[in-house]
Amino acid sequence: IENARLYEDLQATFKQTIRGLASAIDKMDRYTAGHSARVAAYAQILAIKLGLSDGEIEIVRQSALMHDIGKIGCCVMNLNKPGKLTQEEYEIFKQHPEHGRDILQPIEFLHPLIPGVHLHHERWDGLGYPLGLKGNDVPLIARIIAVADTYDAMTSDRAYRKAMAHDIAITEIDRCGGSQFDPELAHGFLESIDVFREEGRSLEEFPDVRETQSGLMAPRR
C-alpha cells in the first residue's frame, strides 16, 4: 500500500511538473496563452485516432504540452511582433527546439518527451529543422505534434494576424500532406477533427485546456 501511495505521489508530481512548465511557456505573452494545452488536446485526439496505446497517448500529450518549452531560452520579446520576423529573429526562433531538448535533458523522467519537443519542426519532405530529417526518420510523436501545432497556430489569433477559419486551416493541412506533414497523419487529423466537431465536443473535456481557457470550444473558428 505504501509503495502504491509513493507511486501515485510520484505520478502526481510528474504531471504537476509538466503543467507548471507548460504554464511558464504560455505566460510569456498573451498570444501564446493556452496554445500548449490546445496542441496537447489536438495531439491526443490524433493519437487516439491512430490507435496508439494508452501509455503512448499519454507521452504524446505530455510532449505536446512541452513542445515550446525551448522558447524560454530565446529572446521572445520580438518573436510575436506584428509583421514579418527579420532573418536574425527567425534564426533565434529556430533555436527553440534545441533549447527545449537541452532544458529537458537533465530531468531523467522527462526524457521520453524529448523527441517530440526537439523534432516537432521537422518536415516530411526533409526541409524542416533542426536536423533536416525526412519521412519516417522523424519520430511519430514529432509528426503528430507538428500537425496539431500547425492547426492551432492557424486557428488562433497572433500579433501579426487574426485567426484563420477552420475550413481554411483544414484545407492547408490537407494541401501540405506529403510535404510538410506525414500524409497519413494529415488525413487522420482531418478525419478526427471533423468527427470531434460533428459530435459537438469541447476542448474543455481536456483538463489542461479547462485550466487555461474556460468556455473554449474546439475548433475555435
Side-chain angles (χ1 to χ4, degrees), residues 104-148:
L104 299 185
Q105 189 65 48
I107 310 172
E108 187 172 352
F109 69 86
L110 296 181
H111 282 188
L113 313 186
I114 290 177
V117 171
H118 184 211
L119 303 172
H120 68 279
H121 279 291
E122 300 289 352
R123 291 172 50 117
W124 184 253
D125 59 12
L127 298 180
Y129 60 88
L131 302 181
L133 300 180
K134 183 177 182 179
N136 288 321
D137 288 340
V138 182
L140 177 61
I141 186 173
R143 284 180 272 144
I144 291 172
I145 294 172
V147 179

Side-chain angles (χ1 to χ4, degrees), residues 136-161:
N136 288 321
D137 288 340
V138 182
L140 177 61
I141 186 173
R143 284 180 272 144
I144 291 172
I145 294 172
V147 179
D149 184 29
T150 301
Y151 176 78
D152 186 69
M154 287 192 292
T155 56
S156 301
D157 288 334
R158 295 298 169 97
Y160 47 88
R161 61 154 173 78

Side-chain angles (χ1 to χ4, degrees), residues 11-27 34 36-37 40 44 58 61-67 69 72 104 109-110 113 203-212:
Q11 289 295 104
T13 300
F14 177 69
K15 292 178 181 179
Q16 290 162 7
T17 299
I18 292 173
R19 286 184 177 178
L21 290 170
S23 178
I25 305 165
D26 286 353
K27 289 186 182 302
S36 296
Q44 183 174 344
E58 183 63 9
R61 186 190 70 81
Q62 292 168 351
S63 185
L65 270 177
M66 293 288 93
H67 78 281
I69 187 68
I72 292 175
L104 299 185
F109 69 86
L110 296 181
L113 313 186
L203 283 191
E204 282 194 328
E205 69 186 61
F206 299 91
D208 297 304
V209 174
R210 190 163 58 242
E211 290 180 6
T212 55

Side-chain angles (χ1 to χ4, degrees), residues 181-194:
F181 308 118
D182 177 335
E184 182 179 347
L185 267 57
H187 180 70
F189 180 79
L190 297 180
E191 283 191 344
S192 59
I193 207 68
D194 280 345

